[in-house]
Amino acid sequence: MRDRRSSREARKADWEVRKAEWRAQEKRRKACGEAPDYGRGPMGPPNAFTLLPWLLLGMGAISNVIKGETPNPWIGALGLLVFNSLYITLVFRAFDRRAREAASTRWCLAALGAVTCALALAYGGNWLLFFPLWGLATGAVVRGRKLGPVMFVVTGLAGAIAGLDEGWDTLGIAYGTFVSGMVTAAILALSETVKELRETRQELARAAVDQERLRFSRDLHDLLGHTLSVIVVKSEAARRIAPRDMDAALGQVADIESVGRQALTEIREAVTGYRKASLATELDRARGALTAAGIEPVVRQSGPPLPPQAAALLGWVVREAATNAIRHSGATTCEIEVRSSAERVRLVITDNGHGVGSTPPGSGLTGLTERLAAAGGTLAGGPAPGRGFQVTAELPVEPAEPEDRAAPAAPEDEERR
């Protein structure tokens, strides 16, 4: 009694340890941002070992052989050995897709059926219980649409052979064979479906993490590239004018401080994912940065107001194009034109600088091209007609309010220098 109690307590303690380990593993997965591993708790999914205990159905036949109640016991023992070997081989191969679909597995299943029928015809009685085991192995190996016809054949053979010996008990043998095969197939198919769903969920979680990293890297590139360019330009301007106009130089230094503080705020917003670029704000910043760099800005806008998403995307384009013009173009003039309608908006940024250089396109325009493509738009950059560089962005838009669609506002052209 004490041994049984201690064994039960040991199993309970082992269960608690395994459950605690599983919970700790799930907490670590959650802390690392991975998807929860649902469906793989302390018990685990079905495997080959879960199908081995069903061999106990053959204990009656083994008992007959041991007691000498079976004619030709050596032949019966050899049949048991072959049956058990084939059954164990099949259940282990059933959980490997390549092995399960191999031709050798089908031959093993056919051989198991032949041995089962031979033993049942030769001995009957307890030996008929090998038919449910044959049905179980069939349900583990055969999947999909082929399962129905195969189980019909297996059940028919079980019923026909059992009918020669058992009479009305034949129904029990046939029913057990059919149920064992179909239930096994259903459970294993459900287990594989859960496994595939879990893998898909983990893949989606990894894709979401990758997308978030890509978003953050793009935002950080655009934010820091523009901000550092403005700081460098204003610092150079302050250094040039300091000897002759200290007040103007101090004004440039104050602008540098303001740009730095604004950059800190934008970086915090980008990290938390709440930053929304504004086209009007970016146009004002681009105008100020271009002027500080000695480039004359020309901004034109026409058409109805843009919805927030389109305005945010174009704001990023204005920021990146203005930054590139300041850093690389050597231009004296930069024109920014925004023309919108009820269906599309077009942004064209043109400078009269050196045009396309020898260096490949930067990651800023490449990332913006992907962003606009995801929104159904396009972004193209190349030499401007005559001289310089031109960036053209187009987006499909929808009116911000239903009234815009019924009575669109008259376009107004605005030019600011």
Side-chain angles (χ1 to χ4, degrees), residues 174-253:
Y175 178 76
T177 302
F178 180 78
V179 170
S180 63
M182 299 303 292
V183 170
T184 300
I187 292 175
L188 295 184
L190 180 61
S191 175
E192 290 183 354
T193 302
V194 171
K195 181 181 178 181
E196 292 176 358
L197 290 175
R198 182 171 60 246
E199 293 174 352
T200 302
R201 182 170 55 247
Q202 293 176 353
E203 185 64 27
L204 290 175
R206 285 192 293 268
V209 172
D210 292 340
Q211 288 293 330
E212 183 64 16
R213 288 174 178 171
L214 181 60
R215 179 201 68 81
F216 179 74
S217 64
R218 287 171 175 172
D219 289 355
L220 198 61
H221 171 273
D222 296 340
L223 289 171
L224 292 183
H226 175 78
T227 301
L228 293 178
S229 297
V230 173
I231 290 175
V232 170
V233 169
K234 288 187 173 292
S235 300
E236 292 176 349
R239 178 177 55 80
R240 287 197 307 267
I241 64 178
R244 61 179 183 274
D245 192 345
M246 183 57 67
D247 292 337
L250 291 176
Q252 295 291 336
V253 172

Side-chain angles (χ1 to χ4, degrees), residues 81-340:
L81 178 62
V82 173
F83 181 91
N84 290 336
S85 300
L86 290 172
Y87 178 86
I88 294 173
T89 300
L90 285 170
V91 296
F92 274 96
R93 294 174 71 90
F95 290 87
D96 184 346
R97 184 172 182 177
R98 292 184 178 179
R100 184 174 68 240
E101 296 177 352
S104 57
T105 303
R106 305 303 169 89
W107 283 109
C108 285
L109 184 62
L112 182 68
V115 172
T116 302
C117 292
L119 293 175
L121 287 171
Y123 301 114
N126 292 331
W127 297 79
L128 295 175
L129 294 177
F130 287 116
F131 278 113
L133 290 176
W134 182 26
L136 190 149
T138 302
V141 172
V142 183
R143 307 288 175 85
R145 297 180 178 179
K146 297 180 181 179
L147 178 63
V150 173
M151 283 304 304
F152 178 79
V153 173
V154 172
T155 304
L157 286 174
I161 294 176
L164 300 176
D165 184 71
E166 295 295 325
W168 286 104
D169 292 341
T170 301
L171 296 177
I173 298 297
Y175 178 76
T177 302
F178 180 78
V179 170
S180 63
M182 299 303 292
V183 170
T184 300
I187 292 175
L188 295 184
L190 180 61
S191 175
E192 290 183 354
T193 302
V194 171
K195 181 181 178 181
E196 292 176 358
L197 290 175
R198 182 171 60 246
E199 293 174 352
T200 302
R201 182 170 55 247
Q202 293 176 353
E203 185 64 27
L204 290 175
R206 285 192 293 268
V209 172
D210 292 340
Q211 288 293 330
E212 183 64 16
R213 288 174 178 171
L214 181 60
R215 179 201 68 81
F216 179 74
S217 64
R218 287 171 175 172
D219 289 355
L220 198 61
H221 171 273
D222 296 340
L223 289 171
L224 292 183
H226 175 78
T227 301
L228 293 178
S229 297
V230 173
I231 290 175
V232 170
V233 169
K234 288 187 173 292
S235 300
E236 292 176 349
R239 178 177 55 80
R240 287 197 307 267
I241 64 178
R244 61 179 183 274
D245 192 345
M246 183 57 67
D247 292 337
L250 291 176
Q252 295 291 336
V253 172
D255 290 343
I256 293 174
E257 180 183 1
S258 176
V259 170
R261 292 183 182 278
Q262 182 64 29
L264 289 175
T265 302
E266 292 177 348
I267 289 174
R268 293 191 188 100
E269 293 175 348
V271 170
T272 56
Y274 294 124
R275 184 176 193 276
K276 293 184 179 180
S278 170
L279 179 59
T281 302
E282 295 299 338
L283 288 174
D284 291 337
R285 290 178 180 176
R287 187 184 301 107
L290 290 169
T291 302
I295 301 175
E296 181 182 8
V298 179
V299 181
R300 299 188 182 91
Q301 286 183 272
S302 64
L306 298 176
Q309 183 180 7
L313 287 173
L314 295 182
W316 285 111
V317 177
V318 170
R319 171 185 282 259
E320 180 65 23
T323 302
N324 290 339
I326 293 172
R327 296 174 59 184
H328 308 300
S329 70
T332 58
T333 303
C334 181
E335 298 182 2
I336 303 175
E337 183 178 11
V338 182
R339 291 186 176 274
S340 61

Side-chain angles (χ1 to χ4, degrees), residues 21-105:
E21 291 177 352
W22 178 71
R23 289 178 176 175
Q25 181 181 2
E26 289 303 306
K27 289 181 179 179
R28 288 194 298 269
R29 294 173 65 87
K30 184 177 180 180
C32 296
E34 299 181 7
D37 197 13
Y38 299 121
R40 188 180 292 178
M43 293 299 294
N47 53 47
F49 293 99
T50 59
L51 301 181
L52 294 182
W54 292 101
L55 285 173
L56 295 175
L57 288 174
M59 289 300 297
I62 296 176
S63 176
N64 291 341
V65 172
I66 295 176
K67 293 179 179 180
E69 298 176 356
T70 300
N72 300 319
W74 291 106
I75 296 178
L78 180 62
L80 287 174
L81 178 62
V82 173
F83 181 91
N84 290 336
S85 300
L86 290 172
Y87 178 86
I88 294 173
T89 300
L90 285 170
V91 296
F92 274 96
R93 294 174 71 90
F95 290 87
D96 184 346
R97 184 172 182 177
R98 292 184 178 179
R100 184 174 68 240
E101 296 177 352
S104 57
T105 303

